[in-house]
Amino acid sequence: MRPFLALTFNGFREARRNRVTVVVGAFAFGLLVASSLLTNLSISTFDRVLTDVGLGIMSIVLVLLAVFLSSGMLSREIERKTLFLIVSKPISRSQFLIARFAGNMLTLAVLLLAMGVLFFIQIGIYGTLFTEAQFVAIGMLFFELLILSSVGFVMSSFSSQMVSATVTIGAYFAGHLGGDIYEMSRKAEEPFLQLLGKAVYYVLPNLSRLNYRVQATYEIPTPMSELLPSILYAVSYSAVLIVLASFIFSRRDFK
């Protein structure tokens, strides 16, 4: 357990020191603060605009950061030959990958928490009320990042950083369009297209069920009976992908 925790926190420190992470984090904080200026465009819906813009910027920046970290972390370890040094010790490749994934998620969780604090400070400054829906939207964003990072790690376990990033970004857009893909497949006349659409819908991650920004904008409460299945879905989907990534990575030939 101690080597696993050491690798996890080492991955967190490396991601924190990475210049791109610092720049993106600072950029996110700047945009989040600047988003308050956009509320001047609306008077009657001041609080809605503030919530929508703040959560939207938070989501976009963290998704980009999750794609960058998950698709490049293993590639950098291989290029710098640090992987061979670590696995020469009594640490398996699977343990190394899972620890790096945990460090990646710790980095995203810290940034999400920091952005969330800044977001609520903004709300407090402008005198609008905190709502439960806002906390739910921020919390569920973490599980969306969990799935995206899992996709990135699966791809980076056997492909290059560019391919991993491209596929992960594609999974993000496809995951939010899964419902539309399913509906279009139902209307298709060809049985093959119907089957293909349903297969794509069930195989790709359904990220739309983790998006609660609309509910936060309009202060719509979400019952726990709806949240728990979504959380369980995200954790289960990510667990399957990480097991798959560990299986592939442990059998990869680095020669």
Side-chain angles (χ1 to χ4, degrees):
M1 190 64 182
R2 184 175 297 178
F4 176 83
L5 293 177
L7 284 172
T8 299
F9 286 107
N10 182 59
F12 169 71
R13 286 191 296 268
E14 288 184 6
R16 186 187 59 188
R17 289 197 302 263
N18 191 290
R19 292 181 180 180
V20 176
T21 304
V22 174
V23 170
V24 173
F27 181 64
F29 279 31
L31 284 179
L32 202 55
V33 173
S35 66
S36 61
L37 300 177
L38 298 177
T39 57
N40 295 327
L41 300 176
S42 175
I43 298 176
S44 59
T45 59
F46 180 90
D47 53 342
R48 292 182 181 178
V49 174
L50 183 64
T51 299
D52 187 46
V53 172
L55 293 178
I57 294 174
M58 191 186 306
S59 174
I60 292 173
V61 174
L62 285 175
V63 164
L64 292 176
L65 185 59
V67 171
F68 170 79
L69 291 178
S70 62
S71 62
M73 189 169 290
L74 294 180
S75 299
R76 289 191 297 271
E77 295 287 355
I78 296 174
E79 291 175 359
R80 293 182 299 185
K81 308 296 184 182
T82 54
L83 170 65
F84 307 105
L85 178 62
I86 295 175
V87 297
S88 63
K89 300 177 181 181
I91 298 175
S92 65
R93 290 188 185 184
S94 297
Q95 187 178 14
F96 171 80
L97 184 142
I98 296 173
R100 282 295 189 247
F101 177 76
N104 179 79
M105 293 312 304
L106 179 60
T107 302
L108 293 174
V110 170
L111 284 174
L112 177 63
L113 179 62
M115 292 180 189
V117 170
L118 183 60
F119 171 73
F120 286 114
I121 289 176
Q122 270 192 317
I123 291 178
I125 290 175
Y126 286 97
T128 57
L129 297 177
F130 299 166
T131 64
E132 179 184 347
Q134 293 168 344
F135 287 97
V136 169
I138 294 175
M140 296 305 290
L141 176 58
F142 174 79
F143 294 99
E144 183 176 349
L145 299 174
L146 179 68
I147 291 182
L148 285 176
S149 297
S150 303
V151 173
F153 266 79
V154 168
M155 295 305 303
S156 61
S157 65
F158 65 89
S159 62
S160 65
Q161 181 176 357
M162 182 62 67
V163 173
S164 301
T166 302
V167 173
T168 306
I169 293 175
Y172 170 77
F173 287 107
H176 282 282
L177 296 174
D180 297 329
I181 295 174
Y182 183 80
E183 289 299 323
M184 286 189 296
S185 66
R186 291 182 56 188
K187 298 178 181 179
E189 297 181 358
E190 295 292 335
F192 173 75
L193 294 178
Q194 295 180 0
L195 182 62
L196 179 62
K198 292 180 180 179
V200 170
Y201 174 77
Y202 287 110
V203 171
L204 290 177
N206 187 1
L207 299 180
S208 59
R209 68 181 299 176
L210 303 173
N211 182 5
Y212 287 86
R213 291 190 294 275
V214 174
Q215 289 86 336
T217 300
Y218 292 95
E219 301 181 10
I220 302 174
T222 305
M224 187 59 64
S225 58
E226 179 180 337
L227 293 177
L228 286 179
S230 297
I231 293 174
L232 181 60
Y233 168 80
V235 173
S236 302
Y237 195 98
S238 299
V240 171
L241 291 183
I242 292 302
V243 170
L244 178 61
S246 300
F247 177 80
I248 297 173
F249 192 68
S250 63
R251 286 158 178 78
R252 180 176 175 180
D253 186 5
F254 296 105
K255 296 181 180 180

